[in-house]
Amino acid sequence: MTQSPSPFQTPQQRSHARAAKRDAVLRAAVQMFNERGFHQTSLDDVAARLGVSKPTIYHYLGNKDQVLFECVTIGLSQLLEAAQASREAQGSGADRLTAFLLRYAEINMDDFGRCVIRTSDEALGAESRAQFHALKRKIDTAMRQLIEEGMEDGSIAPGNAKMLAFTLAGALNWPARWHDPAGDETPAQIARHLVQHLAHGFLPR
Amino acid sequence: MTQSPSPFQTPQQRSHARAAKRDAVLRAAVQMFNERGFHQTSLDDVAARLGVSKPTIYHYLGNKDQVLFECVTIGLSQLLEAAQASREAQGSGADRLTAFLLRYAEINMDDFGRCVIRTSDEALGAESRAQFHALKRKIDTAMRQLIEEGMEDGSIAPGNAKMLAFTLAGALNWPARWHDPAGDETPAQIARHLVQHLAHGFLPR
C-alpha cells in the first residue's frame, strides 16, 4: 500500500505554483494590452479574465506600469537571446543574420514581442524607459554587428550598415501591428516570406 | 494719399484667419501627440503651448478624439495623394513604385504621417477607427497595385505581391518611431537610403 499524498505542498511545489501563477497573470495581461491597448486595459480587466482579485495581480506583479515593464522585458530578452545565439553560431555573416531575422520576426508576432513593438516610450515611467531603451539598443547593435560581419566576409553586399539595420528591423517589427494570430499563415511562414524579400536585397548580386 | 485700412476684416480675411488658426491648433496638437503620446497629452497642454484657452481649441476642432482623428486623416490624405500621383504617372511599375515609396517614407517622418503610424487603432472611437482602417486599406491597395503592375511589365521580380507590400510598408513606416527630427540626416536622405535597400531587393536580377 502506498502512502497517501500529503495535503501540504513542499517548498518546491509552492515555488513552482507561484511561478505558474505569475506566468498566467503576465500572459493574460500581455494579451489584453495587445488586443485593447495598454491605456484601455485596467488590472481589474486582467483580474476578471483570470477570475482572480485585483490584489492577487498586485501580489504577483505590482501595479500596471510594473506589469507592462515586465512584459516588454520578457519580449526584449527573447530577442536578445536570439541575437546572441546568432552571433555565436557558425557560418557566414549573411547566414547568421538570416537566422536571426527569422527568429526576430517570429518573436515579434508572439505575445511578448508584439507588446515590445506596440509599446511607445511614453507609456513607460522614466526609469523603465531608460532600461527599455538600453535593451533595444543592445538588439540593434547585435543586428548591425551581424550585418558588418557579413559585409566584411563578402556574404552581404557592401553599403550603409546602419540604414540596412533600420530597413530590416522596420520591416520585421511591423507584423506586430498587422499580423492576425487567427490568420491563415503561421508566423513562421510570414517570417520566411518577409526575410526572403529582405535577403534578396542584401545578398550580393 | 491712400485710404487708411479698415479696422474690420473682410469676410475673406476672416475665413483665412480662421483657417490659419485651425492649422496652428492642429500642428501644435500633432507635435505634442508625437512627442508625449496621445494619452499623455491633454487639450489643456495644447492650449497652453499656443497661449490660448481650451474652449478656443474646442471651438476650432472639437474634443481630443476629434483632434486625433483630424490629425491622422491629414496624414493619410497626404499618403493617398502620393499613391494616386504615382498610379497616374508615366514609367515602369518599378519606377512609379520607387517614386511612391520615397514620398511615403518622407511623409511618415513628417508630423501628420508620424501621427498615423504612432496611433494604434485602440486610441480611436469605433466610427473613426472604421474610417482610419478604410483609408489605410486604400493606401495598401495602391501600393500592392503598383507592385503588381511592376511584376506584369517585368520591372519588378516576380513574387508574392502582398508580402512584398508588407515588407516595404513596414520598413518605411518604422522611421516614424526612430527618426529624430533634430538628427543629422534629412528625411529625404533617409528615405533614399531605405528605398535603395528595398529596391535592391525587388528589382529583377
Side-chain angles (χ1 to χ4, degrees), chain A residues 34-37 39-40 117-118 120 122-123 157 160 163-164 166-167 170-171 173-174 177-178 185 190 193-194 197-205, chain B residues 34-37 39-40 117-118 120 122-123 157 160 163-164 166-167 170-171 173-174 177-178 185 190 193-194 197-205:
Chain A
N34 288 339
E35 285 162 25
R36 305 182 179 191
H39 295 284
Q40 287 79 15
I117 306 301
R118 296 169 79 94
S120 30
E122 309 89 44
N160 184 325
M163 286 293 153
L164 178 55
F166 281 137
T167 308
N173 288 340
W174 204 245
R177 294 230 160 249
W178 59 259
E185 288 190 287
I190 293 172
H193 276 299
L194 300 180
H197 278 297
L198 294 165
H200 202 252
F202 65 69
L203 297 176
R205 298 210 162 206
Chain B
N34 288 339
E35 285 161 25
R36 304 182 179 191
H39 295 285
Q40 287 78 16
I117 306 300
R118 296 168 80 93
S120 29
E122 309 90 45
N160 184 326
M163 285 294 153
L164 178 55
F166 282 137
T167 308
N173 288 340
W174 204 243
R177 294 230 160 248
W178 60 259
E185 287 190 287
I190 293 171
H193 275 299
L194 299 181
H197 278 296
L198 293 166
H200 202 251
F202 64 69
L203 297 176
R205 298 211 163 205

Side-chain angles (χ1 to χ4, degrees), chain A residues 83 86-87 91-101 104 138-170 172 198-199 201-204, chain B residues 194 197:
Chain A
S86 287
R87 296 223 56 213
S92 70
D95 287 343
R96 289 179 298 126
L97 177 65
T98 304
F100 172 50
L101 295 178
Y104 183 99
K138 271 193 185 180
I139 296 160
D140 286 346
T141 304
M143 192 184 288
R144 205 179 299 180
Q145 282 171 336
L146 285 167
I147 293 172
E148 283 164 353
E149 287 165 22
M151 287 180 177
E152 273 161 36
D153 72 21
S155 60
I156 293 177
N160 184 325
K162 182 178 151 192
M163 286 293 153
L164 178 55
F166 281 137
T167 308
L168 302 177
L172 303 178
L198 294 165
F202 65 69
L203 297 176
Chain B
L194 299 181
H197 278 296

